[in-house]
Amino acid sequence: MFEDVYLWIKALHVIAVIAWMAGMLYLPRLFVYHSEAEIGSKQSETFKIMERRLLKAIINPAMTVTWLAGLYLAWSGHWFSFGWLHVKLALVLAMSAVHGFFSRWLKDFAADRRPRTQKFYRIINEVPTVLMIFIVIMVIVKPF
C-alpha cells in the first residue's frame, strides 16, 4: 500500500513540476511583450489579466504542490542524507526565489511601473530553464 501511495504522490509531484515550469517559462515571456505595450492600452490591460491569472491559478498552486509532494517523497524515501538532494533542494529554493521575483514584477506591471527593459526579461526568462536542467540532472543522474 505504501508503494502505491508513494507512486501516486510521485506522479502528482511530476505533474505539479510540469505545471510550475510551464508557468515559470511563460510568465517572463509575457513580461517581454507587456513591457513593449503602451501603458493604459487595451493590450497592456490584457497582459495584466493574463499574468495575474497565470500566477494565481497555475504557478502558485503548482509550486505549493511541488514542494509538498517533493518533501513527502524525500521524507518517505529517506533521501535527506544524500548530497544530490541537498543540491536539488538548494536549486528548488533558487527557483522559488525566482518565482518570488516574478510575483513582485507582476505587481509592478499591475501598477504600470516598468523599471526594467524587455531585454532584461528576455535574459531572465532563461534562468528557470538553467535551474530546471540542473534539478533534473540531480534527480536522474544523482551524481553524489
Side-chain angles (χ1 to χ4, degrees):
M1 171 143 163
F2 170 77
E3 290 178 21
D4 288 341
V5 171
Y6 185 88
L7 291 176
W8 279 104
I9 299 293
K10 192 176 190 179
L12 179 66
H13 180 66
V14 171
I15 292 164
V17 168
I18 291 168
W20 188 23
M21 287 309 306
M24 292 293 286
L25 297 171
Y26 186 47
L27 187 58
R29 179 58 44 191
L30 288 175
F31 291 162
V32 168
Y33 301 131
H34 194 167
S35 66
E36 297 173 334
E38 186 177 325
I39 291 175
S41 68
K42 182 175 170 121
Q43 186 180 30
S44 178
E45 296 307 310
T46 300
F47 281 126
K48 288 179 188 181
I49 293 167
M50 292 171 67
E51 292 158 358
R52 185 183 74 249
R53 288 181 180 169
L54 179 61
L55 184 72
K56 301 292 183 188
I58 297 173
I59 302 175
N60 287 347
M63 181 189 72
T64 301
V65 173
T66 296
W67 268 105
L68 293 175
L71 289 172
Y72 172 82
L73 293 170
W75 171 77
S76 63
H78 307 288
W79 298 110
F80 282 109
S81 63
F82 292 85
W84 67 266
L85 182 66
H86 298 165
V87 174
K88 178 194 175 190
L89 287 173
L91 293 167
V92 175
L93 276 171
M95 185 76 75
S96 299
V98 172
H99 178 133
F101 286 122
F102 288 0
S103 297
R104 176 67 195 126
W105 299 334
L106 184 139
K107 290 176 185 176
D108 286 341
F109 277 111
D112 290 324
R113 290 187 302 267
R114 301 191 185 174
R116 293 163 195 83
T117 65
Q118 65 140 332
K119 183 177 179 181
F120 172 83
Y121 296 114
R122 286 184 191 280
I123 293 169
I124 208 72
N125 189 48
E126 304 307 323
V127 172
T129 302
V130 172
L131 289 170
M132 177 191 59
I133 289 167
F134 286 107
I135 291 167
V136 169
I137 289 170
M138 288 302 116
V139 172
I140 303 299
V141 178
K142 296 179 177 68
F144 40 87

